Amino acid sequence: MVCLGAIAGGSVLSSCAKVYYAQYSVENNSIKIAKSEFEERSAVVVKDDRLPAPIYLLKEDESYSAVLMLCTHKECEVAPFGQELHCPCHGSEFTNKGKVLTGPAEEDLKKFKVTTNDTFIFIA
Ligand code: FES
C-alpha cells in the first residue's frame, strides 16, 4: 500500500487510511457482500479480477454507493485519501462517491448500481 502525505499549516497530514478488502461472492452477475463486512468501517474495497480496478464501496448511514477505482483521465488506479479518492498518476481528485474535484480528469468515476436487503449488499 502506498501512503501519501501532505504538509498543511506546518503539520503533516497522513492519508494512510487502511484499505479493507471485503469478502464477497458473485450471484446472478452481482457482487454480493455481507453488511457485516463493514463493522465499524465506513468503506471497504472489493477486488474482483474480472474488473479493471477495485470497487470502492461507501456506507453513509444505511445507504451505500460503489465506484470503480479507475481514474477517468488515463486509467490509473485511484486510492483512498481521507474522505476522497486520489489518482497517483497526474493528481486528479474525486469525492468518495466518485465526483471529480480536481482535474485533469473531467469525468466522474464509474458508478455501480447498489441494492441491499437485510443482510447483504449487491453491486451490479
Ligand atoms: S490517470 Fe489519473 S490523473 Fe491522469
Side-chain angles (χ1 to χ4, degrees):
M1 182 168 75
V2 176
C3 298
L4 302 174
I7 296 176
S11 64
V12 176
L13 303 174
S14 173
S15 74
C16 198
K18 280 194 181 141
V19 173
Y20 176 76
Y21 290 95
Q23 302 289 316
Y24 68 95
S25 60
V26 177
E27 197 172 275
N28 298 327
N29 276 333
S30 288
I31 290 175
K32 177 182 169 186
I33 300 150
K35 287 182 173 176
S36 59
E37 283 290 284
F38 277 84
E39 296 180 349
E40 299 304 310
R41 302 174 185 96
S42 60
V44 301
V45 172
V46 178
K47 191 165 173 49
D48 185 296
D49 289 341
R50 295 171 306 160
L51 295 169
I55 296 172
Y56 186 81
L57 178 60
L58 175 71
K59 177 184 179 190
E60 284 183 325
D61 297 321
E62 286 308 309
S63 74
Y64 298 85
S65 60
V67 296
L68 186 65
M69 297 171 73
L70 189 68
C71 183
T72 53
H73 178 230
K74 291 195 185 288
E75 301 193 336
C76 288
E77 188 173 313
V78 301
F81 189 99
Q83 298 300 305
E84 299 174 358
L85 296 167
H86 289 186
C87 181
C89 291
H90 314 103
S92 289
E93 298 175 358
F94 304 86
T95 69
N96 55 13
K97 289 183 171 177
K99 187 169 175 31
V100 176
L101 294 171
T102 306
E106 295 179 349
E107 290 181 34
D108 296 345
L109 300 179
K110 173 184 166 50
K111 290 187 175 66
F112 294 90
K113 183 175 174 213
V114 180
T115 56
T116 61
N117 63 20
D118 286 346
T119 314
F120 294 101
I121 304 153
F122 301 90
I123 302 173

